[in-house]
Amino acid sequence: MNNRGQTSGVVYVHSSPSAVCPHVEWAISGTLGVRADLRWSAQPAAPGQLRAECAWTGDTGTGARLSGALKAWPMIRFEVTEEPSPGVDGERFCFAPGIGLWHARAAANGDIVVAEDQLRALAAKARAGESFAHGVDSLLGKPWDDALEPFRRAGDGAPVTWLHRVG
């Protein structure tokens, strides 16, 4: 066992072609070191696609590793959350085809944390109020929320699989 803190989170696979589902499970399994046998259900927002979600526990940084493993399939839509742990902010990762991966730190209450240097860089390059507002929306993940929201709503009430990292 290493000295890293333990945390937990959730992987939401909002949509995946059925042929890719085993690959998604292998990616999650390989990252967590435990077999992921997800319960897939139809994704009403994308006929012919499937959705699943699983809660996980593991070392801090596992959310980033899960996200890195899943983005190998650019046709899926997913989110990965990692809860804050002592001395470490939480994280949120969102992926949508066409716009790619977004990542942000998350406070204990779930709010997205925008760092001072991010705001300074945005203020330096924004040419007008509308440009600044658009930049803030991007920092907060609005394009990803807009792309994923129909898939989130369609998955309300879906079963959750619990996975625990071994070792």
Side-chain angles (χ1 to χ4, degrees), residues 10-11 56 63 66-67 70 78-82 91-93:
V10 180
V11 174
W56 58 267
L66 284 163
S67 178
L70 292 173
F78 70 85
E79 290 181 79
V80 177
T81 64
E82 179 170 315
E91 294 185 286
R92 183 170 158 222
F93 301 85

Side-chain angles (χ1 to χ4, degrees), residues 11 28 102 133 159:
V11 174
I28 294 169
W102 171 81

Side-chain angles (χ1 to χ4, degrees), residues 40-139:
W40 294 93
S41 59
Q43 172 49 273
Q49 303 259 330
L50 300 174
R51 65 161 323 281
E53 58 190 66
C54 65
W56 58 267
T57 59
D59 295 334
T60 55
T62 298
R65 290 188 296 280
L66 284 163
S67 178
L70 292 173
K71 73 177 186 174
W73 292 279
M75 71 291 296
I76 69 172
R77 290 172 180 83
F78 70 85
E79 290 181 79
V80 177
T81 64
E82 179 170 315
E83 294 296 319
S85 55
V88 181
D89 288 329
E91 294 185 286
R92 183 170 158 222
F93 301 85
C94 297
F95 185 90
I99 58 175
L101 183 66
W102 171 81
H103 164 255
R105 294 184 345 228
N109 68 354
D111 284 350
I112 297 304
V113 176
V114 178
E116 180 180 336
D117 63 331
Q118 291 174 293
L119 287 174
R120 287 185 194 282
L122 176 58
K125 75 176 184 180
R127 299 288 180 234
E130 186 175 321
S131 173
F132 185 80
H134 178 73
V136 169
D137 281 348
S138 185
L139 287 173

